[in-house]
Amino acid sequence: MKPQLNLIAGEHGAAFSGLRIDVLDPSDGRVFTSLPRSDARDIDAAVQAARAAFHGAWGRCTATERGRILTKLSALILQHHEELSLLECADTGKPIQQAKADITACARYFEYYGGAADKLHGESIPYAAGSTVIAVRVPHGVTGHIIPWNYPAQIFGRSVGGALAAGNACVVKPAEDACLSPLRIAALALQAGLPAGALNIVCGLGVEAGAALAAHTGINHISFTGSPQTGTAVAQAAAANHVPVTLELGGKSPQLLFADADLDKALPVVVNAIVQNAGQTCAAGSRVLIERSIYDTVIAQLKARFEALTTGAGKTGPDCGPLINRRQLDRVSAMIDAALADGIQLAARAKLAADAPAGGFYFPPMLLNAVPSEHPVAQMEVFGPVLAAFAFDSEDEAIELANGTPFGLTAAVWTRDGARQLRAAHRIEAGQVFVNNYGAGGGIELPFGGMKHSGYGREKAFEGLRSFTTIKTIAIQHG
Ligand code: NAD
């Protein structure tokens, strides 16, 4: 594949540094293209291009015109579905069926926000006699978007879709491990009629291009998805410029299985919620809390399901593809080796397919049994296909376990008892609680974001659109 280029002011080009970053296929570890290794100079050029578009052609578009461009982009993404899915599969290693679902979701973000662009109303406020007060929703201006590698197309759509619909001009720094779909979709956006400079993509390392974007004084809002540590650094850099930030930082999401749960419905969902995207999902269901009376039955059924899972190259359509890179494979392996050395039981492990290419970053899914609730593997995000199981004796204990980590992103409650469904949903500290289903972060129409160390602010849904605006109050005294 040809070397990749940044997109700044509607032009494709190399980084100022002239340096490049190799792009590997996680399925076999082979280099198949390269990215520009951009730095503060490229970020500065992109911010200037975005500012010019915001004050120029893009800023002059009506909300309806913005919506039409995004709707057209959605249609173009669907027209290029096959191409984009293969690109996403090669870039991230994810199973091809997951890559296809991600591209469909990305198109849906642009469809949703395209339709919403001219439905974002302000309000009028009763005030003093002889006055009219209106609160108008206005875009922030130039928005920065720092995207992770786990769902590059989806998170690009969710973040950039909302920002553009609201009238902002965007500077995007995709993850160095997964830039290809954002670059291709940005090129399609030009084809859809998006004015040059409204959407700029700058590839590079987090500590160089990412840090430069977070600290740039020309940025008016930052949307960040990634690790808690980087989220802190981004928020600190933004705070120096008094810039608002939306942080989506991952989780340790629990699924609560009560004794009256419909296990035939629950267990396939429980398994999928941790195996999807090889567990590299911020909303992965990485903990299963099981009422003690059904604990052994559930573990036996989960064991059978884990042992039947396939792991292999993304393009062969396995249940589980490789992890994103060597560093993540080493990190996940070290965490699990430490847990097993501490005496935590391995209840089940899937096998690696015989035809999985050597050199790929594979970690077959794993079920851990009777995990102590304070152990690091019960508290920290593994970001791999590892499900930790815990027993509970009462509803109170289940809630205490569910809330007993630093995170609060998503959760699921499986029970037929309607009162318990509502009680548990209200008591669990999470941005999304599912009852008798689990979204693993899905649902473009559903507000999404965390509590506690999972972050703050909301994306997706109409709430996500509002995040990309601020309110200007206009008070008129007319007598
Ligand atoms: P990361 O947080 O370092 O990277 C996310 C994005 O931030 C990337 O685009 C990266 O280039 C950028 N970045 C990195 N350092 C930066 C800095 N100093 N300033 C500005 N931007 C910077 O995540 P990672 O290293 O790729 O993965 C490490 C861990 O992060 C994972 O194991 C996982 O726990 C977590 N993670 C979470 C999510 C999520 O969706 N919540 C996504 C990816 C990774």
Side-chain angles (χ1 to χ4, degrees), residues 146-150 173-176 205-207 210-211 224-227 230 233-234 248-250 282 327-328 331 381 383:
I146 301 177
I147 312 271
W149 41 259
N150 53 349
K173 210 302 279 173
E176 46 272 47
L205 301 176
V207 287
F224 173 82
T225 303
S227 64
T230 308
V234 167
E248 203 270 271
L249 308 177
C282 45
R327 189 164 58 92
Q328 281 298 104
R331 192 184 145 276
E381 200 174 32
F383 233 59

Side-chain angles (χ1 to χ4, degrees), residues 43 82 142 237 261 374 390 399 411 472:
I43 291 289
E82 179 77 10
V142 176
E374 295 310 317
F390 309 77
I399 303 293
K472 179 184 282 181

